Amino acid sequence: MMNKKGGTISWSWAILFAGSFIFCIIMFSSKFAIDNNSYISIDGDIRSNNTLTDINNTLLIYQDQNNVTIRGLSGSKIESGSDSLSRVSSFESGDKISIATITNATRNSLDSILGGSSSNNKGIYYIAGSFAALLGLITILYAWKTLKGSPD
Amino acid sequence: MTYIYSIPNATSGIDDVLLQTSTEMPSLIPLLITSIWFFIFLTGYIKQRNREGYADASQWSVLSSLISLIITLLFTTINIINISILSIVVGITILTGIWYFLSRSRYDN
């Protein structure tokens, strides 16, 4: 995706601009509906509200767990002769919660765009099946080309 | 003469015609937004390719997505689209924006 000129600074600026763009688009869509008394508002999307609730709940759980572990960590003392902690439990909950948040957000975004995998609408499975069939065909053609030469 | 769908009442104004037609055929407004997207994308892409020798697909996709989003937001004030279409348009706008900011053509000049 990036060429040779795109280093760490380019990636950082690209991610910063993409995040600002997402924030601005969602805020613009939301505030437009509020200002103009729209009949339809993106704030009324059920999946977005579910995602927001999920993220809030997981962040609250993370905050509680982190408070407990960091309190235990600051209250502990290192005995003489031991120079390292056996576990980094204050960071262990963060991994799981980050993965759960990203998974939830991705699944809800795909549900909104591709038609939903959990409801009665199974459109995403048709798209995924077609894509898997295409990948299988390409794999077979590559194998054929490797063994027998050009497929045409 | 019998029609296969109910004809809109044209005496009550052109806005009522649009509203009644979209009520009768709910795919009208998504098709209109899709045609606007492809019109801006293809005309800009082909014109830039003919004039400059190269064309930036991500730039024209984000531009057409933004214009489609603004038209969709205007449609939300008269209740002729639903929440899923608005979510899809916002999602496509965000995805094309990410594509634009991560594309290599921003660094090639």
Side-chain angles (χ1 to χ4, degrees), chain A residues 1-3 5 10-11 14 17-18 21-22 25-26 28-29 32 36 38-42 44-45 112-113, chain B residues 62 66 69 73-74 76-79 81-83 86-88 90 93-95 97-98 101-102 104 107-108:
Chain A
M1 192 170 282
M2 283 283 181
N3 62 354
K5 293 182 205 170
S10 301
W11 271 108
F17 279 131
F21 183 81
I22 293 169
I25 289 295
I26 293 175
F28 175 66
S29 308
F32 183 89
N36 296 288
S38 296
Y39 292 96
I40 307 293
S41 170
I42 197 166
D45 193 10
S112 289
I113 293 170
Chain B
V62 74
L66 281 173
L69 174 67
L73 286 176
L74 290 176
T76 60
T77 58
I78 50 174
N79 198 12
I81 66 166
N82 51 21
I83 186 72
L86 179 63
S87 302
I88 290 169
V90 171
T93 308
I94 288 173
L95 287 179
I98 292 171
F101 286 119
L102 294 182
R104 69 169 67 182
Y107 307 105
D108 293 340

Side-chain angles (χ1 to χ4, degrees), chain A:
Chain A
M1 192 170 282
M2 283 283 181
N3 62 354
K4 283 181 284 189
K5 293 182 205 170
T8 309
I9 296 175
S10 301
W11 271 108
S12 306
W13 279 106
I15 292 169
L16 181 67
F17 279 131
S20 308
F21 183 81
I22 293 169
F23 183 77
C24 292
I25 289 295
I26 293 175
M27 280 296 117
F28 175 66
S29 308
S30 173
K31 298 298 177 190
F32 183 89
I34 293 171
D35 288 343
N36 296 288
N37 294 323
S38 296
Y39 292 96
I40 307 293
S41 170
I42 197 166
D43 293 336
D45 193 10
I46 299 169
R47 291 196 191 94
S48 302
N49 284 323
N50 288 339
T51 310
L52 186 63
T53 312
D54 287 346
I55 290 174
N56 279 336
N57 287 334
T58 48
L59 284 180
L60 277 176
I61 294 169
Y62 174 69
Q63 192 180 9
D64 289 343
Q65 290 182 355
N66 211 10
N67 279 340
V68 169
T69 51
I70 205 72
R71 205 173 292 130
L73 197 63
S74 61
S76 66
K77 63 175 182 179
I78 299 175
E79 300 293 338
S80 62
S82 67
D83 54 355
S84 65
L85 294 169
S86 59
R87 294 182 67 194
V88 279
S89 52
S90 60
F91 301 106
E92 285 174 359
S93 66
D95 278 348
K96 295 169 192 167
I97 287 183
S98 304
I99 292 169
T101 306
I102 291 172
T103 310
N104 275 335
T106 309
R107 193 183 63 234
N108 283 303
S109 307
L110 287 177
D111 282 357
S112 289
I113 293 170
L114 292 179
S117 58
S118 57
S119 61
N120 292 323
N121 188 358
K122 300 290 184 188
I124 186 171
Y125 292 127
Y126 295 118
I127 296 172
S130 309
F131 188 62
L134 181 67
L135 283 180
L137 180 65
I138 291 171
T139 310
I140 292 170
L141 284 176
Y142 266 112
W144 178 264
K145 188 172 181 177
T146 308
L147 293 173
K148 296 285 184 183
S150 180
D152 53 6

